[in-house]
Amino acid sequence: KWCKLRPVSLTTLNLSRTLPNARMAHIRIGPLNCRGLKSPAKRGRLGQYFKHHRVDILLLQETHITENSMMLDIEREWGVRCYWSLGGLNSRGVAIAFRPTLNLTHRCHYQDTEGRLVIADVMIGDVSFRIVNIYAPNEVRERYNFFKTVQTHFHAPGKRVLIAGDFNCVEIADLDRISPANRIISGSGDIKQLTEWKRTYALEDVFRHLYPQ
């Protein structure tokens, strides 16, 4: 049971208008809070899932990876290129992994020192992307401050911006939370910040677009 994985929610981006190569016109993206990658068995299962479902970009939260040697082990086991922000022994840590056959050109990347943010600027085909992977704090006030800081990275002229991760809150509690006890008031500052992101940076919630109810 300790190596059980929850299903990855996969999203496919249709880029047929901007990527002339038909094989590159659809990109599969999977965000996953993996709750630790120290277990070899768990890493093996996730690596198999990654390959079997032909995920192009995997965005991981709570990797619990603390050392460069562990990073290199995972990249070698999966045969992927990753960008990391290291976490603690039992918390935090984020990573972006790219399928090796993806027509990818690396431009630059950035990671914070807290294991909560990693950003990759890449070219996929002829299209420029900024990919932002977030693991937000649990505490509301800390999360609000984090959201205020992280949004400075969303302005990327000439790039398509993809933001994903574990935000530790939801915009529409009645739709996205099962337990009424866990439903956060929609007017809280952190959730208002999510709504402000969408308006300011013309972002679209892909999951809500695909599954409105």
Side-chain angles (χ1 to χ4, degrees):
K1 292 183 179 179
W2 49 270
C3 63
K4 183 178 181 181
L5 289 172
R6 293 176 296 166
V8 180
S9 177
L10 296 175
T11 298
T12 301
L13 294 184
N14 186 340
L15 302 175
S16 55
R17 293 184 179 180
T18 51
L19 291 178
N21 186 334
R23 291 181 303 171
M24 298 300 302
H26 295 82
I27 298 174
R28 301 198 83 190
I29 300 167
L32 175 68
N33 185 320
C34 56
R35 298 184 179 181
L37 286 176
K38 295 176 184 176
S39 161
K42 189 174 187 179
R43 293 201 303 267
R45 293 187 63 186
L46 183 54
Q48 290 173 5
Y49 186 98
F50 191 17
K51 294 175 183 177
H52 177 74
H53 291 277
R54 298 180 64 81
V55 181
D56 296 300
I57 304 172
L58 186 62
L59 300 108
L60 299 170
Q61 303 86 44
E62 283 204 271
T63 63
H64 303 176
I65 298 300
T66 59
E67 301 174 1
N68 290 336
S69 60
M70 299 174 71
M71 291 165 33
L72 295 175
D73 285 345
I74 293 171
E75 292 179 21
R76 182 173 58 252
E77 291 167 10
W78 293 356
V80 298
R81 181 171 189 175
C82 295
Y83 301 101
W84 304 82
S85 177
L86 297 179
L89 289 174
N90 296 295
S91 65
R92 296 174 285 112
V94 288
I96 304 173
F98 294 96
R99 188 159 63 93
T101 55
L102 195 63
N103 183 13
L104 181 81
T105 304
H106 170 255
R107 296 300 187 192
C108 63
H109 71 280
Y110 165 84
Q111 69 279 342
D112 70 351
T113 59
E114 301 295 325
R116 295 197 178 279
L117 175 68
V118 62
I119 299 170
D121 285 349
V122 298
M123 293 283 292
I124 301 177
D126 295 325
V127 181
S128 183
F129 285 89
R130 170 162 292 179
I131 300 171
V132 182
N133 187 15
I134 288 171
Y135 177 55
N138 291 311
E139 197 275 326
V140 174
R141 187 65 191 177
E142 187 180 354
R143 185 165 58 243
Y144 171 77
N145 291 333
F146 174 78
F147 285 167
K148 291 285 288 185
T149 301
V150 79
Q151 69 177 352
T152 59
H153 299 286
F154 296 168
H155 182 65
K159 298 181 177 69
R160 290 172 175 255
V161 179
L162 169 67
I163 305 164
D166 185 341
F167 296 84
N168 266 315
C169 65
V170 295
E171 190 177 13
I172 306 175
D174 289 341
L175 289 178
D176 297 322
R177 288 189 179 273
I178 296 175
S179 172
N182 290 329
R183 291 177 184 172
I184 301 173
I185 299 172
S186 60
S188 62
D190 54 339
I191 297 174
K192 283 183 177 180
Q193 196 65 47
L194 292 181
T195 304
E196 182 69 13
W197 284 359
K198 291 167 63 177
R199 184 180 64 83
T200 303
Y201 301 102
L203 301 174
E204 181 175 15
D205 184 339
V206 176
F207 186 88
R208 181 65 61 228
H209 175 76
L210 296 174
Y211 307 101
Q213 300 302 320

